[in-house]
Amino acid sequence: MKKLLFFISFCLLLVNVQGVFAQAPKKIIVENSDFSDVNEVEIPGALLLTGNVKINHDGVVLTCNKAYFFQKENYIKAFGNVQLVQGDTLYLNSKYAEYSGNVKKAFATGNAVMTSPDATLQTDTINFDRNVQEVFYNTKGTIVNKDNTLVSKSGRYYVAQKKFQFLTEVTLTNPKYVMKSNHLDYYSNSGHSYLFGPSTITSKTNYIYTENGFYDTKKNLAHFLRKSYIKYDDRRIEGDSLFYNRNTEFASATRNVKITDSINKGIVKGHYAELYKLKDSMFVTKRAVAINLVEKDSVYIHGKKLMVTGKEGERIIRAFNNVRFYKIDMSGKCDSLHSNSKTALTKLIKNPILWNGESQITGDLMHLIGDNKTRKLDSLKVFNNTFLISKDTLGTGYNQVKGLNLFGKFRDGKLHDVDIIKNTEAIYYARNSANELVGIDKSVSSRINLIIENNQVDNITLFKNVQSDSYPEDELAENDRKLKGFVWRGDERIKSKDDIFPPEENELNDKLVKEGKAEDAKPNVPMKVRKETLNYDKKKPAAKASTATKAKAKK
């Protein structure tokens, strides 16, 4: 008997529990109607309501001019000046609407307008699912949110999140730019936009492309990933990750950075860059390199830090710390470099060394001067402690010239005519037409002129106060075959564009390139929603619809 009573009690409890989870839908309540009627012939099963109709269902109030109320189905068809109101968060206006109390879904059509405290949606047909608090439409819609106007073929609005989601042809128009995408999540309270897939942002100042990005339309701050770039009239900046501030026209890029100067035909690369458009300047580091076109040949300049400043035609490149550069037939090193496109002057500052073909040139300061019209190298100047060294073509000795200053002229991009002045000394391995060594010449003079052909000394001429002696090879001791201050640095010579980078920066580059490839290999997924987006209303209380907004919505 006890077992039987326990079983009955359990069954009753189970029925009660099931009843809690399967509650009958709440009934639609008619709060007002000027007239009511029944017409079973024309509208069977419906209560006909006319004039100032007001209906309430589970926190939603519906008003209209006329309604058909199907009590058995718990269903409403509303006509004329229809408005559905959910608290202070959502107003839905249309010419016609249907609402089911059983499934808590609404359908509105005919100049449908949805108004929330943050935005207004206008379209032909709107569907509202109260169970999941989602509004969706599949007809062309226009959304106005303060300075932003969004137009799309279809969309969905998540009431609780205050988020619009568009998956086909959406255009966001702002006084400063136009944003286009096929996948845009727009949060109406914060103005935060999340772009996914091929997307563009066009303005008077630039053009932005991204396949995964974030844009704060209120603060004009952005973060872009995946094949993103910012294009100005004369420059394009790209990288694995881009940050952009439209207010200050500041952009920064991280990993696999490339900045292209379309007017000056130059490229700057690195793994971190900052670009200040209003100041016409950029800063690049982490395996930074500037590539410029000179005489149909590329010049590669590397420094731990690179700075490019100035408008087009007045650009200045500054390189700092362990600067190295490379060009076919010429390369060099120095502590810092300053190159001015307006004056076509490049300064190699502190401990400079230049390799021109097989010749090594050193001094306290060097100037490389170009011709802006021909875009060719014109001349070279070396100031103080000039020393020029080249290996004897067939032997083990070194041709050497030293003096105070050097002035050289280029021909077809190669150093051709060189003057070394003041207190000059020279050691020269003289050979006959059969390339036989005929003697080692040692001399001092006031000036020495060198004619260089094919990067080798072809002729040497001494001027003023000349003292010269020629020694057979076996009569000149090894110690006397080198001028004071001689240092041959051939093992440091930069022989390719890859030699301009020190080992530690190549290691960093390999690491970052590998990370970039691994990131690219991953499926492209929408950017994770930021905390400032999710917590926006926690810092700033949610906006409430004003009396004017409510009145406008009722109209």
Side-chain angles (χ1 to χ4, degrees):
M1 181 62 71
K2 289 183 179 179
K3 290 183 179 180
L4 179 60
L5 290 173
F6 175 78
F7 177 74
I8 292 172
S9 298
F10 177 77
C11 290
L12 290 172
L13 178 62
L14 183 61
V15 169
N16 290 333
V17 171
Q18 290 176 339
V20 170
F21 288 98
Q23 290 180 353
K26 292 184 178 181
K27 293 296 181 181
I28 292 174
I29 299 171
V30 178
E31 293 188 349
N32 187 74
S33 176
D34 292 346
F35 304 99
S36 63
D37 196 4
V38 174
N39 189 334
E40 289 295 332
V41 176
E42 295 184 9
I43 314 293
L47 178 63
L48 310 184
L49 307 172
T50 307
N52 297 313
V53 179
K54 183 177 181 182
I55 293 167
N56 193 316
H57 181 259
D58 196 18
V60 160
V61 176
L62 186 149
T63 58
C64 60
N65 294 338
K66 183 174 74 172
Y68 298 158
F69 178 26
F70 298 88
Q71 293 173 291
K72 186 176 180 181
E73 290 82 7
N74 204 26
Y75 199 87
I76 286 284
K77 290 184 178 181
F79 305 85
N81 294 320
V82 182
Q83 182 179 66
L84 183 149
V85 180
Q86 178 179 270
D88 288 328
T89 59
L90 188 143
Y91 297 81
L92 184 56
N93 293 67
S94 62
K95 292 181 179 180
Y96 173 78
E98 296 182 13
Y99 179 77
S100 171
N102 289 344
V103 295
K104 298 174 71 173
K105 292 182 179 181
F107 165 84
T109 188
N111 296 330
V113 177
M114 185 208 77
T115 304
S116 70
D118 303 299
T120 299
L121 163 65
Q122 292 181 318
T123 186
D124 181 70
T125 302
I126 293 176
N127 294 276
F128 177 32
D129 187 340
R130 295 188 62 205
N131 301 289
V132 290
Q133 288 294 297
E134 291 181 12
V135 174
F136 58 95
Y137 61 97
N138 293 310
T139 52
K140 182 180 179 181
T142 300
I143 297 160
V144 178
N145 172 234
K146 295 184 179 179
D147 290 336
N148 301 314
T149 300
L150 299 91
V151 178
S152 68
K153 284 189 173 181
S154 62
R156 187 175 293 269
Y157 178 64
Y158 299 84
V159 180
Q161 300 175 49
K162 299 182 180 179
K163 179 181 80 171
F164 286 95
Q165 184 174 77
F166 313 95
L167 301 178
T168 52
E169 296 184 31
V170 58
T171 300
L172 186 156
T173 303
N174 181 282
K176 293 183 179 180
Y177 54 85
V178 175
M179 185 184 301
K180 293 184 177 181
S181 180
N182 278 328
H183 186 158
L184 171 66
D185 289 351
Y186 178 77
Y187 291 80
S188 59
N189 58 340
S190 61
H192 293 176
S193 296
Y194 291 83
L195 299 151
F196 183 68
S199 308
T200 62
I201 304 172
T202 307
S203 69
K204 292 181 179 180
T205 56
N206 57 37
Y207 174 87
I208 299 170
Y209 176 87
T210 185
E211 293 186 8
N212 203 337
F214 163 83
Y215 198 104
D216 186 330
T217 63
K218 290 185 178 180
K219 295 181 179 179
N220 280 314
L221 302 177
H223 181 209
F224 303 115
L225 307 172
R226 285 276 176 163
K227 301 179 181 178
S228 303
Y229 64 83
I230 302 173
K231 186 177 181 181
Y232 298 94
D233 291 336
D234 57 348
R235 289 179 184 174
R236 167 175 160 151
I237 178 170
E238 55 191 289
D240 290 354
S241 176
L242 296 179
F243 170 81
Y244 175 58
N245 184 331
R246 187 177 295 278
N247 301 314
T248 59
E249 285 296 343
F250 167 81
S252 66
T254 304
R255 201 171 63 196
N256 295 316
V257 178
K258 181 180 179 182
I259 302 168
T260 305
D261 185 333
S262 57
I263 295 178
N264 293 296
K265 297 180 180 179
I267 295 173
V268 180
K269 293 182 177 180
H271 287 292
Y272 179 75
E274 294 180 356
L275 191 149
Y276 303 82
K277 183 65 174 63
L278 299 180
K279 297 180 180 180
D280 285 300
S281 67
M282 73 173 80
F283 165 85
V284 186
T285 187
K286 295 186 178 179
R287 204 176 187 263
V289 58
I291 307 168
N292 293 286
L293 187 66
V294 177
E295 300 178 78
K296 297 181 180 180
D297 182 24
S298 294
V299 179
Y300 298 81
I301 301 172
H302 164 73
K304 190 172 182 180
K305 299 177 183 178
L306 289 181
M307 288 184 65
V308 182
T309 59
K311 299 179 180 179
E312 188 273 323
E314 300 179 1
R315 293 273 158 84
I316 295 175
I317 297 176
R318 296 177 176 87
F320 305 96
N321 299 343
N322 195 18
V323 177
R324 304 178 184 194
F325 60 92
Y326 171 80
K327 175 184 176 295
I328 293 175
D329 295 328
M330 183 179 290
S331 62
K333 297 166 65 176
C334 57
D335 285 358
S336 61
L337 177 147
H338 185 285
S339 183
N340 188 323
S341 65
K342 185 177 182 179
T343 59
L345 172 62
T346 298
K347 299 178 182 179
L348 311 182
I349 304 165
K350 197 173 181 181
N351 302 319
I353 180 169
L354 184 72
W355 290 277
N356 180 70
E358 299 297 324
S359 298
Q360 171 187 298
I361 305 172
T362 55
D364 291 349
L365 175 67
M366 292 186 187
H367 287 180
L368 282 166
I369 300 128
D371 186 322
N372 274 333
K373 292 182 179 179
T374 63
R375 296 189 66 83
K376 292 183 178 181
L377 278 173
D378 178 76
S379 54
L380 166 69
K381 295 180 180 180
V382 182
F383 301 99
N384 299 326
N385 299 314
T386 298
F387 211 127
L388 188 153
I389 307 171
S390 64
K391 274 190 173 184
D392 177 37
T393 52
L394 299 176
T396 59
Y398 296 89
N399 295 313
Q400 306 155 57
V401 180
K402 65 180 291 189
L404 184 64
N405 300 325
L406 178 151
F407 302 97
K409 296 291 289 184
F410 286 89
R411 178 188 290 179
D412 297 325
K414 297 180 180 180
L415 197 59
H416 174 71
D417 193 330
V418 176
D419 280 320
I420 300 174
I421 63 171
K422 291 187 179 180
N423 304 321
T424 59
E425 299 178 60
I427 293 178
Y428 182 70
Y429 285 70
R431 294 183 178 274
N432 59 23
S433 58
N435 283 325
E436 296 171 335
L437 183 66
V438 295
I440 302 174
D441 297 339
K442 293 190 68 175
S443 63
V444 294
S445 61
S446 296
R447 179 169 71 92
I448 297 177
N449 176 262
L450 305 174
I451 300 299
I452 301 173
E453 295 287 352
N454 299 318
N455 293 321
Q456 296 291 336
V457 176
D458 183 68
N459 185 61
I460 182 168
T461 305
L462 311 178
F463 297 89
K464 292 184 180 180
N465 304 319
V466 177
Q467 297 179 26
S468 179
D469 293 301
S470 183
Y471 301 89
E473 184 178 15
D474 56 357
E475 293 184 12
L476 189 63
E478 287 291 334
N479 292 340
D480 294 328
R481 297 184 187 185
K482 294 178 181 177
L483 297 175
K484 185 177 180 180
F486 172 93
V487 178
W488 176 247
R489 297 165 62 182
D491 57 336
E492 298 178 36
R493 182 180 167 191
I494 299 167
K495 298 179 180 180
S496 73
K497 60 184 175 60
D498 295 323
D499 288 346
I500 63 176
F501 303 107
E504 63 273 14
E505 294 205 38
N506 283 330
E507 290 177 10
L508 173 66
N509 179 69
D510 293 342
K511 176 186 176 183
L512 293 175
V513 169
K514 185 177 179 180
E515 288 178 0
K517 289 181 178 179
E519 196 67 33
D520 286 341
K522 295 178 182 178
N524 192 18
V525 296
M527 188 182 290
K528 186 178 179 181
V529 180
R530 298 178 168 217
K531 288 183 179 180
E532 56 261 40
T533 302
L534 299 175
N535 299 330
Y536 185 81
D537 286 334
K538 292 180 180 179
K539 295 181 179 179
K540 180 181 179 181
K544 293 185 178 180
S546 64
T547 304
T549 302
K550 294 178 182 178
K552 184 178 178 182
K554 289 180 180 180
K555 291 181 182 179

